[in-house]
């Protein structure tokens, strides 16, 4: 019997369907009903075991076009009723997981697991195969470091800088992208809008970034605790105000930290494709793609924003305002520094997977650079 | 932006009678909307002709008008009530078309009524097929190549450019009525002509076929701030070419990648914006090419729909409720999600289970119709099931159908394959059987174009259906969010899972400490068991709650109010089988179970429940048996000294022929234990009986058939009564318009009786009391009588007694102003009639109420429209007025068979009716009608001194009667049967009348009522009056 074990000792049985190995990490859940391949290849899931709440995962196989990076980053996949169908796709989902060396387990009562995590918070755990001894499993979990305080961006960042041309033929701006584990959808969203990208390792120094004479800086998603990335926040502080800047997800958290805000670990994170986010400056609501375990605390120490007006305060970079909130739990979802021409969102405008409601933010960014 | 306070009174239009394509979902939506608007402090004015709806209960509106949904009566309502706004998006196509008409004739502007929810232009852009196309193209969306035509000649010009097969879709019709797939040139001409006739604006769209592509629906909501959410995606397992209403459907969609799904989502949003539905819900349908991923838009409905009801039940997101709030000014973010309470309605539900909807068909009642599934809808109801996997949901839905006639699978594999390719009512039963016999997935994919994902799932189910139900049954909640937030609304389904880890709960049920009562619903709508029973179940839930107990509902029909999670304290969305019900009962440990309100469905379970030790509230299983068992019931009547028609039972042909002679012809024959008079026939002679027995009755399992002496020319009477075991209260006595022999469900009836003497009524009351007490009824009892006039005076016969809620309970409740089902439920919970303080009879007598049945013949061209003892109506309407003729005229108009006020009547009656038929013709002549008739009837009419023109019979060659009807020369047909055989003249005549949409009356009693109604209608548009006024105690 294979099983999922959580650090608090809760156990859920299932059948192993991926690579026949044991693995530990942080157990999280994602409530999107499609887009499983995009999720597992999203580098932000590094060191995490993804539980999909939708029971049938694998229905339409996997394909090259749906890759969010060059490999699977999630450590394992936990499912209720996996499928290996391949029609219209290049590969079967389970075949692909197995070949990628990723343990996967199906037949798990994922709803019970999710309700447990929802109430107890996300925690470490593991997927274990072939009647692993439970005590040994528990020991393996205990050996797994907790997510808080982990710098994982360093694990997924490229070792060398890289340049990429625009894909729409036009000669748009050059954007320096600090790669903390970027999703392909961000890269392609920018390139499709005419941007030329200079992709830098996340350990790059601001001077090295500026040396390429970019017109703007893009901060992106990535795994781990933003509080462990002070070295990067330091470089961001050196870039803000000098160039227009747009940040997504971890990038949002980094810019927030750069203007002096704190971040904290959410109880079980936001992972899915249905969270409503309100832009307080326009009143518009977008249905968003989400994947984050940490969030930003407001300038007054507030974890939630109760008012529907942007919170404003003064920073080293001029006035700052919290522009977006999550209507589910009223947590911070966006920041803007008008004078520094910088803005960020916690969610994923690039979709991949999820709704396209916020794609326009990339247009706004490109326009802002032009201006 | 909060609630609008510049409007105070809002007019809501219902959808009228249940018909194919427009069923209980509009009662669910409308009732939700009425509740919400009242909560918001608005005065609601409601018009709906269907008394069997919760929304027309007087407490749901400030003023409730049970009036025809036609411009005339609705204008009168507007003039009286002066609403500020009209919300037209809750009453289906009927309400939308009516609102459009009221705008076009200037009424809305004249009386200062604003359309809210969808404005006139948006309705037009969505409903006018050509405008819709243009709108889509200018929004950059793809639609199938097409052309519109208003004449056949037009249409023929386009045939080459569109190609064959071509899809013909009439504008502004419901459920694809009048449309079809033209595979050949001959088809093309025929279907186009039919479509033009069916369209209220005489327009059809002829469209490039995308048969075999995947069919998807998205439910979209938009608010005044232009924020848009997708509530649910629905995938049709049956690909394009089978109407969504007839397709097995799944939510959420299963086979599209996120990339393709997001493109659909983007397009759905683009559609609602382009059409310009400012607030509310819409349904957008797409076809997706499985090879290329290409998407075309098929249509959008700018209103709540069958699919939106399904989406609401599938996700827990109450679309109609929210649409009503949006219409009065709220934004999505200002509305709380009922289920989580903590989060707003501006989100997209995500689910962690699978929902399967299965249509319920009734072809067995319509001999001779084309039973292949196509682009116009033919199903009469639906069942939905929720499971944790597709397999669980699919098999649960399958067993929720409660088929009367199992699919015939005893055929060769070849035949099975042919059948699945054609798509009929049993398509999936056949597919599973073919898979069991080893048919390959490729063959089946080829034959059906069903996505291989589904075929593989079916293959697994065919191999081992048990595998889907491995593990233990654990009840889960529908929470809109896949467990991300705690849910407060107790809406549950059973899942089969691995046993829960130690220390955690197996079920997500918050049972609480209060005693509970389980109410069993009535399952999918079908002919004979419709919305009336759901109405009663909802009333039972209200009563149980009011008594301080928890009401627990079990049902599987997504259209209904009973499966609204607001209706009961806990809702279990489950099949109504003994096993599924017992599992709920085990968990709930209820004080008792109520089986009296859900029609035959729960009654079938009663004995099994009792055997399992479950306490049933109300009338006992033994009493139910005493009423249903012919022998026991016969003895009971004998003991009471009441008369019943002589009868016998038989198991074989020989037995039957012998018994027939003792009982005496004519006979009414039928198999035992059927509802709605299925397979029931009147036979006049031995040869007919033999023929009947050979064809159908002696069931192979050797079940009994009944032979009753058929009472000719009898007046049928229906009584609904309440009994607490000691006292009896007569709820209402209804006299049928058509004579006994026409099923009570298909017959019009009048309350109070219009032509029975006081003495006879007393006798009816006395016998009803006698039967109620003898059966120890606790709750409701329905008794059907037949009254025969004999030279010595009228005689009363008991036809049957049903110790349960009957189909007429809602009608009677509306007519007498007392909620019969609620009162009955109180009795079942231990109250007495004395403690309820009821008079011995509830009839008010200040006005006349007429119920008329609505039949689906316009969808089943080819079926004989002749009424008989087998019920075939899908719904009913009510007409109320100070006198019978006016009430009858209203009911006819509401039923869609408005009687002409002038023109030509065609009369052709059977020999025994000739004299009376001639009298009727004379009456109509006096009313100014021209009379035409076939020769025999014409002779009789001439003898009365009435001018009449003779028409040729079909056999005598053109131009004959059918040509005359088809050519529009006739405005009303009166035809009593001389035989119902296919292709008889009568059949041709009735069919032509239906195709032409003119009223066709098949009984003399109906004809006489019509003549009186026509004469009454001469006084001008009748008064309208609200239920609240009618029942105001003077
Ligand atoms: N171009 C087409 N090719 C093939 N099937 C079609 C086409 N258009 C419509 N259909 C089928 O006909 C059904 C009814 O058409 P629709 O426009 O949705 O009418 P309705 O208003 O009755 O819902 C659809 O559900 C679909 O299965
Ligand atoms: N003996 C009879 N003589 C005349 N008509 C009858 C007789 N028995 C039944 N009917 C007619 O057949 C219809 C259906 O019969 P009923 O016993 O009420 O069946 P169901 O259980 O389907 O309601 C009745 O409504 C009535 O019109
Ligand atoms: Mg449709
Ligand atoms: Mg009956």
């Amino acid at each position: 019997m294979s099983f999922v074990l959580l650090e608090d000792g809760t156990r859920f049985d299932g059948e192993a369907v991926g690579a026949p190995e044991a693995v530990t990490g942080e157990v999280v859940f994602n409530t999107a009903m499609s887009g499983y391949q995009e999720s597992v290849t999203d580098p932000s899931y590094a060191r995490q075991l993804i539980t999909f709440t939708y029971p049938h995962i694998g229905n339409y196989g996997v394909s090259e076009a749906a890759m969010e990076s060059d490999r699977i980053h999630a450590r394992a996949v936990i499912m209720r009723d996996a499928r290996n169908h391949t029609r219209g796709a290049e590969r079967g989902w389970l075949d692909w997981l197995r070949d990628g060396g990723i343990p996967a387990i199906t037949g798990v009562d994922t709803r019970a697991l999710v309700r447990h995590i929802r109430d107890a918070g996300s925690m470490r755990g593991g997927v274990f195969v072939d009647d692993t001894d439970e005590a040994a499993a528990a020991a393996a979990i205990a050996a797994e470091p907790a997510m808080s305080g982990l710098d994982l961006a360093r694990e997924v960042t490229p070792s060398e800088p890289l340049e990429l041309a625009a894909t729409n033929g036009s000669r748009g701006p050059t954007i320096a992208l600090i790669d903390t584990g970027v999703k392909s959808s961000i890269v392609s969203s920018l390139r499709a809008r005419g941007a030329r990208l200079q992709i830098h390792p996340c350990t790059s120094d601001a001077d090295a970034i500026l040396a390429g004479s970019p017109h703007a800086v893009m901060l992106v998603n990535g795994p781990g605790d933003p509080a462990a990335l002070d070295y990067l926040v330091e470089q961001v502080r050196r870039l803000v105000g000098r160039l227009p800047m747009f940040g997504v997800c971890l990038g949002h958290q980094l810019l927030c930290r750069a203007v002096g805000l704190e971040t904290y670990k959410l109880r079980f994170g936001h992972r899915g494709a249905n969270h409503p986010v309100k832009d307080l400056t326009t009143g518009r609501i977008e249905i968003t793609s989400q994947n984050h375990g940490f969030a930003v605390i407001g300038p007054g120490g507030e974890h939630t924003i109760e008012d529907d007006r942007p919170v404003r305060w003064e920073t080293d970079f001029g006035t700052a305002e919290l522009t977006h909130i999550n209507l589910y739990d009223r947590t911070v979802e966006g920041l803007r520094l008008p004078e520094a021409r910088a803005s960020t969102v916690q969610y994923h405008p690039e979709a991949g997977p999820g709704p396209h409601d916020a794609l326009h933010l990339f247009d706004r960014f490109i326009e802002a650079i032009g201006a | 932006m909060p609630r609008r306070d510049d409007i105070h009174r809002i007019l809501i239009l219902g959808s009228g009678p249940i018909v194919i394509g427009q069923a209980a979902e509009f009662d669910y939506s409308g009732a939700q909307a009425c509740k919400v608007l009242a909560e918001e402090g608005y005065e609601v004015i409601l018009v709906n002709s269907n008394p069997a709806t919760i929304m027309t209960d007087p407490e749901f509106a400030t003023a409730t008008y049970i009036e025809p949904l036609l411009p005339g009566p609705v204008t009168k309502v507007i003039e009286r009530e002066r609403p500020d706004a009209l919300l037209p998006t809750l009453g289906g196509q009927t309400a939308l078309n009516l609102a459009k008409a009221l705008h076009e004739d200037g009424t809305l502007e004249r009386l200062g009524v604003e359309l809210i929810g969808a404005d006139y232009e948006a309705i037009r852009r969505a409903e006018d097929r050509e405008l819709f196309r243009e709108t889509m193209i200018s929004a950059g969306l793809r639609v199938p190549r097409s052309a519109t035509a208003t004449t056949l000649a037009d249409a023929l010009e386009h045939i080459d450019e569109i190609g064959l097969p071509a899809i013909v879709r009439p504008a502004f019709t419901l459920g694809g009525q009048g449309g079809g797939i033209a595979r050949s040139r001959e088809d093309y001409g025929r279907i186009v002509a039919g479509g033009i006739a069916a369209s209220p604006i005489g327009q059809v769209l002829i469209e490039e076929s995308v048969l075999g592509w995947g069919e998807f629906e998205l439910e979209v909501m938009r608010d005044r701030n232009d924020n848009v959410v997708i509530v649910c995606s629905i995938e049709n397992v049956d690909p394009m070419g089978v109407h969504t209403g007839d397709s097995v459907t799944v939510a959420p969609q299963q086979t599209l990648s996120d990339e393709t799904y997001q493109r659909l989502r983007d397009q759905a949003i683009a559609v609602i914006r382009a059409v310009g539905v400012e607030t509310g819900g819409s349904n957008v349908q797409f076809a997706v090419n499985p090879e290329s991923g290409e998407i075309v838009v098929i249509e959008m409905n700018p209103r709540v729909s069958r699919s939106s009801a399904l989406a609401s039940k599938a996700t827990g997101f109450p679309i109609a409720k929210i649409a009503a709030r949006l219409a009065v000014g709220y934004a999505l973010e200002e509305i709380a999600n009922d289920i989580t309470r903590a989060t707003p309605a501006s989100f997209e539900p995500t689910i962690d289970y699978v929902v399967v909807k299965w249509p319920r068909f009734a072809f067995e009642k319509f001999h001779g119709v084309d039973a292949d599934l196509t682009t116009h809808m033919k199903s009469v109801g639906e069942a939905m099931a929720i499971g944790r996997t597709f397999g669980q949901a699919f098999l649960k839905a399958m067993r929720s159908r409660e088929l009367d006639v199992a699919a015939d699978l005893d055929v060769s594999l070849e035949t099975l394959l042919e059948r699945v390719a054609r798509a009929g009512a049993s398509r999936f039963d056949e597919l599973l059987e073919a898979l069991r016999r080893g048919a390959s997935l490729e063959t089946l994919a080829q034959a059906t174009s069903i996505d291989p994902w589904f075929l593989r799932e079916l293959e697994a189910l065919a191999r081992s259906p048990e595998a889907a139900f491995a593990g233990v049954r654990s009840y889960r909640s529908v929470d809109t969010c896949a467990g991300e937030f705690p849910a407060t609304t107790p809406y549950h389904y059973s899942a089969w899972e691995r046993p829960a880890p130690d220390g955690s709960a197996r079920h997500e049920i918050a049972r609480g400490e209060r005693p509970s009562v389980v109410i069993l619903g009535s399952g999918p709508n079908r002919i004979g068991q419709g919305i009336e029973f759901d109405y009663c179940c909802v009333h039972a839930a209200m009563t149980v709650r009011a008594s301080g107990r928890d009401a627990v509902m079990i049902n599987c029909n997504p259209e209904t109010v009973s499966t609204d999670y607001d209706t009961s304290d806990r809702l279990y969305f489950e099949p109504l089988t003994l096993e599924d019900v017992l599992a709920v009962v085990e968990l709930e440990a209820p004080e008792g179970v109520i089986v009296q309100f859900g029609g035959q469905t729960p009654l079938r379970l009663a004995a099994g429940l009792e055997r399992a030790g479950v306490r049933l509230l109300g009338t006992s299983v033994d009493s139910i048996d005493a009423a249903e068992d012919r022998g026991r019931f016969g003895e009971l009547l004998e003991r009471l000294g009441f008369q019943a028609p002589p009868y016998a039972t038989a198991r074989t042909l020989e037995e039957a022929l012998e018994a027939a002679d003792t009982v005496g012809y004519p006979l009414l024959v039928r198999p035992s234990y059927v509802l709605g008079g299925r397979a029931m026939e009147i036979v006049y002679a031995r040869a007919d009986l033999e023929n009947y027995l050979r064809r159908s009755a002696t069931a192979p399992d050797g079940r009994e058939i009944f032979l009753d002496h058929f009472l000719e020319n009898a007046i049928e009477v229906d009584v609904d009564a309440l009994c607490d075991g000691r006292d009896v209260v007569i709820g209402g006595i209804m006299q049928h318009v058509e004579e006994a022999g026409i099923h009570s469900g298909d017959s019009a009836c009048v309350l109070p009786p219009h032509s029975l003497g006081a003495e006879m009524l007393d006798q009816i009351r006395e016998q009803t009391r006698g039967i109620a007490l003898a059966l120890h009824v606790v709750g409701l009892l329905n008794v059907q009588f037949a009254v025969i006039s004999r030279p010595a005076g009228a005689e009363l016969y008991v036809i049957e007694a049903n110790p349960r809620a009957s189909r007429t309970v809602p009608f009677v409740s509306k007519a007498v102003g007392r909620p019969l089902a609620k009162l009955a439920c109180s009795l079942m919970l231990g109250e007495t009639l004395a403690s309820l303080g009821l008079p011995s009879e509830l009839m008010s007598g200040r006005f006349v109420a007429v119920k008329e049945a609505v039949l689906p013949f316009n969808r089943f061209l080819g079926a004989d429209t002749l009424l008989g003892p087998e019920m075939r109506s899908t719904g009913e309407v009510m007409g109320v007025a100070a006198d019978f003729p006016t009430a009858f005229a209203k009911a006819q108009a509401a039923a869609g068979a408005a009687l002409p006020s002038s023109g030509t009547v065609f009369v052709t009656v059977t020999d025994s009716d000739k004299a009376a038929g001639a009298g009727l013709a004379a009456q109509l002549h006096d009313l100014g009608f021209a009379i035409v008739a076939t020769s025999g009837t014409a002779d009789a009419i001439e003898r009365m001194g009435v001018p009449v023109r003779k028409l040729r019979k079909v056999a005598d060659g053109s131009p004959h009667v059918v040509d005359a009807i088809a050519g529009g020369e006739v405005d009303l047909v009166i035809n009593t049967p001389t035989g119902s055989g296919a292709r008889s003249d009568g059949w041709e005549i009735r069919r032509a009348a239906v195709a032409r949409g003119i009223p066709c009356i098949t009984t003399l009693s109906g004809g006489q009522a019509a003549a009186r109604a026509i004469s009454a209608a001469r006084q001008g548009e009748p008064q309208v009056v609200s239920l609240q006024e009618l029942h105001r105690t003077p």
Side-chain angles (χ1 to χ4, degrees), chain B residues 1-4 40 42 223-225 279 322 324-335:
Chain B
M1 229 154 302
R3 169 191 189 284
R4 281 180 66 171
E40 292 293 342
Y42 294 101
D223 69 13
R224 292 209 308 184
N225 302 338
T279 69
I322 290 177
R325 286 221 162 87
L326 296 179
V328 296
Y330 287 96
L332 282 166
E333 62 177 307
E334 292 163 347
I335 304 169

Side-chain angles (χ1 to χ4, degrees), chain B residues 116 121 246 267 317 604 950 1011:
Chain B
I116 56 174
E121 290 305 326
D246 287 351
Q267 294 197 13
F317 187 105
R604 275 193 206 128
K950 275 189 194 174

Side-chain angles (χ1 to χ4, degrees), chain A residues 15 31 34 54 56 59 80 83 85 87 107 109-111 118 274-276 278 285 328 354 356-357, chain B residues 227 254 258 265-266 333 346-348 350 352 388 390 451 453 457 476 483-484 496-498 508:
Chain A
E15 300 113 46
T31 63
S34 54
Y54 189 66
H56 297 306
N59 288 6
R80 172 62 181 83
R83 290 291 179 270
H85 296 188
R87 188 192 78 132
D109 183 350
T110 46
R111 183 168 168 90
R118 172 188 86 200
N274 68 338
H275 284 224
K278 183 170 184 177
I285 295 167
Y328 268 170
H356 297 160
D357 291 8
Chain B
N227 287 320
Q254 303 291 324
D258 188 64
R265 186 180 175 282
D266 293 344
E333 62 177 307
S346 56
F347 80 113
E348 298 195 348
T350 186
D352 56 2
R388 269 284 272 167
F390 176 80
D451 191 286
W453 190 87
E457 296 295 311
R476 296 294 158 101
E484 186 169 3
W496 278 259
E497 296 285 358
R498 289 198 144 83
E508 297 175 20

Side-chain angles (χ1 to χ4, degrees), chain A residues 167-234:
Chain A
T167 48
N168 72 342
S170 78
R171 292 174 52 86
T174 300
I175 297 175
L177 184 154
I178 304 180
D179 188 352
T180 45
V182 71
K183 288 169 65 184
S184 320
S185 297
I186 295 180
V187 170
S188 56
S189 295
L190 291 169
R191 295 175 74 197
R193 285 169 177 74
R196 200 158 66 90
L197 297 185
Q198 298 173 340
I199 297 181
H200 296 276
C202 70
T203 47
S204 304
D205 173 279
D207 296 328
I209 292 167
L210 290 170
S213 315
H215 301 107
V217 176
M218 178 80 206
L219 303 176
V220 301
N221 66 296
D225 186 349
L229 303 180
D230 282 351
Y231 64 91
L232 181 49
V233 170
E234 198 39 51

